[in-house]
Amino acid sequence: MFYGSGLPDMYRHAATYVDKILNGAKPGDLPVEQPTKFSLVVNLKTARALGLNIPSSVLFRTDQILE
Protein backbone atom coordinates (compact mmCIF):
# COMPACT_ATOMS: atom_id res chain seq x y z
CA MET A 1 0.00 0.00 0.00
CA PHE A 2 1.02 3.56 -0.65
CA TYR A 3 -0.64 6.66 0.73
CA GLY A 4 0.89 9.98 -0.13
CA SER A 5 1.42 12.70 -2.65
CA GLY A 6 2.40 11.64 -6.14
CA LEU A 7 5.70 12.61 -7.73
CA PRO A 8 4.20 14.74 -10.52
CA ASP A 9 2.46 16.93 -7.93
CA MET A 10 5.65 17.24 -5.91
CA TYR A 11 7.62 18.25 -9.03
CA ARG A 12 5.02 20.91 -9.86
CA HIS A 13 5.26 22.22 -6.32
CA ALA A 14 9.05 22.32 -6.54
CA ALA A 15 8.82 24.23 -9.82
CA THR A 16 6.69 26.86 -8.09
CA TYR A 17 9.37 27.29 -5.41
CA VAL A 18 12.12 27.56 -8.05
CA ASP A 19 10.11 30.18 -9.94
CA LYS A 20 9.67 32.27 -6.79
CA ILE A 21 13.38 32.05 -5.95
CA LEU A 22 14.44 32.95 -9.50
CA ASN A 23 12.13 35.98 -9.33
CA GLY A 24 13.95 37.29 -6.26
CA ALA A 25 12.26 35.71 -3.24
CA LYS A 26 14.53 34.65 -0.41
CA PRO A 27 14.30 30.88 0.22
CA GLY A 28 14.13 31.44 3.98
CA ASP A 29 11.07 33.67 3.56
CA LEU A 30 9.04 31.13 1.59
CA PRO A 31 6.38 29.29 3.59
CA VAL A 32 6.42 25.53 4.07
CA GLU A 33 3.56 24.13 2.02
CA GLN A 34 1.83 20.80 2.52
CA PRO A 35 0.58 18.62 -0.34
CA THR A 36 -3.09 19.11 -1.14
CA LYS A 37 -3.72 15.91 -3.07
CA PHE A 38 -3.07 12.44 -1.70
CA SER A 39 -3.61 9.08 -3.32
CA LEU A 40 -4.06 5.54 -2.02
CA VAL A 41 -2.61 2.71 -4.09
CA VAL A 42 -3.00 -0.98 -3.21
CA ASN A 43 -0.91 -3.76 -4.76
CA LEU A 44 -3.21 -6.80 -4.58
CA LYS A 45 -0.66 -9.19 -6.08
CA THR A 46 1.81 -8.48 -3.28
CA ALA A 47 -0.92 -8.56 -0.65
CA ARG A 48 -2.00 -12.01 -1.83
CA ALA A 49 1.63 -13.23 -1.90
CA LEU A 50 1.97 -12.13 1.73
CA GLY A 51 -1.33 -13.77 2.67
CA LEU A 52 -3.03 -10.47 3.44
CA ASN A 53 -6.71 -9.89 2.85
CA ILE A 54 -7.54 -6.27 1.98
CA PRO A 55 -11.12 -5.43 3.02
CA SER A 56 -13.46 -4.26 0.28
CA SER A 57 -14.14 -1.06 2.25
CA VAL A 58 -10.46 -0.12 1.74
CA LEU A 59 -10.50 -1.12 -1.92
CA PHE A 60 -13.49 1.16 -2.58
CA ARG A 61 -11.44 4.13 -1.32
CA THR A 62 -8.34 3.47 -3.41
CA ASP A 63 -7.29 5.67 -6.29
CA GLN A 64 -5.43 2.83 -8.01
CA ILE A 65 -5.38 -0.95 -7.60
CA LEU A 66 -2.40 -2.91 -8.94
CA GLU A 67 -3.18 -6.51 -9.79
Side-chain angles (χ1 to χ4, degrees):
M1 294 180 101
F2 167 79
Y3 180 72
S5 180
L7 283 178
D9 291 330
M10 290 173 35
Y11 290 143
R12 262 185 242 109
H13 230 52
T16 303
Y17 272 99
V18 170
D19 180 55
K20 290 178 183 178
I21 292 168
L22 291 176
N23 286 322
K26 294 181 182 177
D29 293 339
L30 294 176
V32 175
E33 297 179 13
Q34 297 292 325
T36 56
K37 182 180 176 186
F38 293 91
S39 60
L40 175 63
V41 179
V42 175
N43 188 331
L44 285 180
K45 182 178 179 182
T46 302
R48 289 184 189 122
L50 294 172
L52 301 174
N53 184 21
I54 308 296
S56 59
S57 61
V58 172
L59 294 177
F60 287 133
R61 295 183 178 125
T62 60
D63 296 304
Q64 184 178 8
I65 298 175
L66 305 174
E67 301 220 21

